[in-house]
Amino acid sequence: MKKLFLVAFLMMAMALVGAACASPEEPPEPQTPPPSTPSEPKADVSSIVAGGLLYDKWWKVDSGATEPTQDNPLWASQSSNTRSGSTTWRCKECHGWDYKGIDGAYSSGSHKTGFPGVYDAAMAEDKAHLIEILNGHDNDQHDLSAVLSDQAIENLADFLSEGLIDDSKY
């Protein structure tokens, strides 16, 4: 038993001496970041953050805005979500907290509306067109200009065009 311990000790000592005497390896070359590394935002970061808050409850963030009491006009085009009042005006209630609407977390359950998400659309649109959409250009029932200030609409467009993340990676 003592011989076995001695042999094991000597082998370990030789391995350590060999490692200490080996020539140092060259450090690895720095790697360039992958092409999917996000670029610096075009919009002011505070505008993107404000837009994210607006996406949740815009009347809590936009000064001068008041909490709506009636249902959003678009709410009548769905029948699966029975919420009413100001909740129907929350962007996240229609388009999902994961930005994927009917294709995301709200594809079923009590929050289901059947409305599309904003993730793919926002990534494909430029900010100017997103502002037009928010002002009802494509659908007059989606006109938020009556309840949001111009700055709030710009902040929301900044968030949609630059602040969304694909949470499916997490």
Side-chain angles (χ1 to χ4, degrees):
M1 181 74 152
K2 288 182 184 179
K3 286 184 182 182
L4 184 60
F5 177 74
L6 183 60
V7 169
F9 177 76
L10 288 174
M11 289 177 68
M12 187 192 252
M14 288 174 54
L16 288 173
V17 169
C21 295
S23 61
E25 291 183 26
E26 290 185 31
E29 290 187 30
Q31 302 212 353
T32 35
S36 64
T37 301
S39 60
E40 288 294 314
K42 297 173 199 149
D44 184 84
V45 173
S46 64
S47 179
I48 296 169
V49 170
L53 295 171
L54 289 161
Y55 186 85
D56 185 34
K57 282 187 180 175
W58 50 263
W59 58 89
K60 295 279 188 183
V61 184
D62 189 14
S63 62
T66 57
E67 183 173 353
T69 56
Q70 302 297 317
D71 287 355
N72 183 312
L74 285 170
W75 205 248
S77 65
Q78 64 84 40
S79 60
S80 54
N81 188 323
T82 59
R83 287 166 178 74
S84 61
S86 61
T87 300
T88 68
W89 285 87
R90 295 175 71 190
C91 303
K92 78 100 196 154
E93 194 62 35
C94 292
H95 304 292
W97 58 262
D98 58 358
Y99 321 118
K100 296 178 183 169
I102 189 65
D103 296 320
Y106 290 176
S107 64
S108 63
S110 68
H111 290 278
K112 178 183 177 182
T113 60
F115 293 127
V118 293
Y119 185 80
D120 291 332
M123 294 298 145
E125 300 292 340
D126 64 5
K127 178 181 168 181
H129 189 234
L130 289 171
I131 289 173
E132 287 178 352
I133 292 169
L134 294 169
N135 283 318
H137 181 269
D138 294 352
N139 181 341
D140 62 347
Q141 289 188 322
H142 200 269
D143 183 2
L144 299 176
S145 65
V147 294
L148 290 175
S149 68
D150 289 343
Q151 183 61 58
I153 287 177
E154 185 171 336
N155 292 346
L156 188 52
D158 284 338
F159 172 70
L160 292 171
S161 63
E162 299 188 61
L164 303 184
I165 60 165
D166 181 2
D167 69 344
S168 64
K169 298 176 184 176
Y170 309 102

